[in-house]
Amino acid sequence: MMSDEVRQPTPITVLTGFLGSGKTTLILNLLPQLPPGYKVALLKNEFGDVAIDSQLASNSSIAGVRELLNGCICCNLVGRLGDALKALRNGIDPSEVPTDNNGLDARGAGGAQRPDRIIIETSGSAFPATLAMEVNRLAQEHGDFLLDGVVSVIDVENWLGYEDTSVTAKMQARYTDLIVLNKWEGVSERRLDDVMDRIGDLELDTPTPIVKSQAGRLDRETIFGVDGALARQLNTYVSPNEPAHDHQSEVEVISASLNSGTSSKGIDVAALMRMLKLAAKDEVYRIKAVFLARSPLPSSDGTQPSTTDAEHEGLRRFILNWAFGRWTTTLVGSLEEHSATIVLRMTIITARYEANKWLQRIQREGFLRLADQDEQTAELRRTA
């Protein structure tokens, strides 16, 4: 049986962009894509439109909404971020937390609920490096949170480019994992090219991936990694004969599955690690997986998954989140040997025209295989 002793960190997705860029619309379009019972908490850093905020507060997928006002969350409010995140994670009823002199407000839908994910929606900063570093500090200090991704939203109609293209700005821009172009449908090709040129003004060594929303909608697979609740969905087998999902044309999707056969050793962790290190973030946007292994796979910063059964030598189930060049591994629990039939379920989100190349490379180099059987590799297929 899976251990219930392992406390899972709450993943945090940061959405940044100037007021009116379309961040809240993006969130509203993400909510219908969530599985039943999946709860999201929202931490906002701007005065929202009353009608839109009412839609958010009444949505059944929203566990709570908090506001940190009277300052930029990336700057002078960053020290109060931890308290707000802990309140959301612990499922404190927002109605019990009144507005204070620092502009802290909270409200929610349906009372206290523990969220599966927290979204931080902030404006006024093109480069949320300070915020990302604070979330990472809280994650390392308490182990309750995990920075899943930083997404910057650009209003193509009105954006004037980065005010700062200095070395400092370039360093901060590296904390942006994905740029989403909103409101591009009504502009000329020249205007779109101008925006792309201004993004290119930063001249980063590895360009930040860029995707276009469709009327403010982007597929959940691109924005979110996988967590404990979404892992159940990822771990459900989908027949290769079933129709492909309707993903956005801006990305392509590879699905992988690996059965245990006669093996009881799980996945080849070293081979998987090679794949994670070689994946280029301008080609591969996300890798999400649930896998079984006897030895843990370190995260990209070298840390090992926390475990309450470190001496256990049997198979353990892990969640892998690879996002734009960095990855984390989270222990879910231990399994009885006879229950280990599915060793790996994986979803790989790539840039356009990259999926076929990576599918062939994974097959050729054997990145996804059983630990003791080189000839048994994962079944791979394009799903979008």
Side-chain angles (χ1 to χ4, degrees):
M1 295 289 293
M2 193 181 302
S3 171
D4 293 326
E5 298 178 2
V6 183
R7 182 180 171 111
Q8 302 300 313
T10 302
I12 295 176
T13 301
V14 177
L15 274 179
T16 186
F18 292 103
L19 186 66
S21 60
K23 302 183 299 298
T24 304
T25 300
L26 205 66
I27 294 171
L28 284 170
N29 286 326
L30 281 169
L31 296 180
Q33 303 178 49
L34 299 175
Y38 191 90
K39 297 296 180 181
V40 171
L42 180 62
L43 178 61
K44 294 170 62 69
N45 183 218
E46 62 190 19
F47 291 99
D49 179 271
V50 174
I52 291 179
D53 282 355
S54 295
Q55 292 182 55
L56 284 171
S58 62
N59 192 288
S60 61
S61 296
I62 294 292
V65 180
R66 292 177 67 89
E67 289 179 349
L68 282 176
L69 305 175
N70 298 338
C72 176
I73 199 173
C74 299
C75 305
N76 56 314
L77 289 180
V78 72
R80 307 191 63 243
L81 179 65
D83 292 338
L85 291 177
K86 289 174 188 174
L88 286 171
R89 173 179 167 81
N90 293 332
I92 294 177
D93 190 337
S95 64
E96 298 176 2
V97 186
T99 302
D100 61 20
N101 294 330
N102 293 315
L104 172 61
D105 180 38
R107 59 187 179 278
Q113 301 176 74
R114 193 181 185 90
D116 296 296
R117 176 178 298 268
I118 296 174
I119 299 177
I120 301 177
E121 179 187 347
T122 179
S123 65
S125 174
F127 307 120
T130 307
L131 178 58
M133 288 187 285
E134 177 66 6
V135 173
N136 279 328
R137 185 189 70 80
L138 292 169
Q140 294 171 5
E141 189 174 295
H142 304 289
D144 290 336
F145 305 106
L146 179 67
L147 180 62
D148 181 59
V150 180
V151 180
S152 293
V153 182
I154 289 177
D155 171 5
V156 173
E157 290 181 348
N158 301 300
W159 190 60
L160 300 177
Y162 296 114
E163 295 180 4
D164 184 3
T165 56
S166 65
V167 173
T168 301
K170 293 176 183 179
M171 290 178 63
Q172 293 216 45
R174 294 193 183 106
Y175 282 86
T176 297
D177 298 314
L178 181 71
I179 293 175
V180 177
L181 299 183
N182 253 352
K183 307 179 185 179
W184 60 272
E185 293 90 344
V187 304
S188 64
E189 288 189 19
R190 180 168 183 174
R191 171 61 184 166
L192 188 58
D193 288 341
D194 286 344
V195 170
M196 298 295 287
D197 288 342
R198 287 168 183 168
I199 295 173
D201 287 343
L202 287 175
E203 298 179 344
L204 298 177
D205 294 336
T206 304
T208 301
I210 302 171
V211 297
K212 291 186 288 187
S213 71
Q214 303 295 323
R217 184 189 186 280
L218 203 63
D219 197 278
R220 185 196 80 201
E221 297 283 358
T222 307
I223 298 290
F224 289 166
V226 65
D227 52 49
L230 293 177
R232 291 192 294 270
Q233 197 176 45
L234 179 66
N235 204 34
T236 302
Y237 180 71
V238 179
S239 168
N241 297 322
E242 291 187 17
H245 297 290
D246 182 22
H247 291 272
Q248 299 293 324
S249 59
E250 289 293 309
V251 300
E252 297 176 343
V253 183
I254 302 170
S255 293
S257 62
L258 180 59
N259 295 329
S260 60
T262 59
S263 172
S264 61
K265 294 187 177 180
I267 197 169
D268 187 326
V269 171
L272 176 58
M273 176 71 84
R274 288 198 300 273
M275 172 180 156
L276 301 181
K277 289 181 176 180
L278 289 172
K281 74 174 187 178
D282 57 338
E283 298 178 2
V284 180
Y285 293 165
R286 281 197 176 271
I287 301 172
K288 307 185 252 190
V290 178
F291 68 92
L292 305 183
R294 290 186 177 274
S295 59
L297 185 150
S299 298
S300 54
D301 62 1
T303 59
Q304 298 282 353
S306 59
T307 173
T308 58
D309 57 353
E311 301 301 321
H312 183 74
E313 296 182 352
L315 285 173
R316 284 173 285 179
R317 186 184 299 277
F318 297 90
I319 292 174
L320 167 67
N321 276 301
W322 187 103
F324 311 103
R326 66 176 187 274
W327 67 89
T328 58
T329 309
T330 306
L331 174 68
V332 178
S334 304
L335 302 177
E336 295 178 357
E337 296 295 332
H338 62 77
S339 66
T341 56
I342 308 297
V343 174
L344 170 77
R345 292 287 186 224
M346 177 177 284
T347 299
I348 304 169
I349 316 293
T350 75
R352 292 178 68 183
Y353 314 121
E354 297 291 343
N356 287 337
K357 180 180 77 174
W358 273 95
L359 190 149
Q360 293 169 10
R361 185 172 186 183
I362 293 169
Q363 290 175 325
R364 182 175 66 250
E365 303 193 30
F367 290 136
L368 305 177
R369 64 190 186 205
L370 295 175
D372 57 350
Q373 298 181 20
D374 290 346
E375 69 279 1
Q376 186 165 351
T377 59
E379 174 189 349
L380 300 168
R381 57 193 173 87
R382 281 280 305 277
T383 55

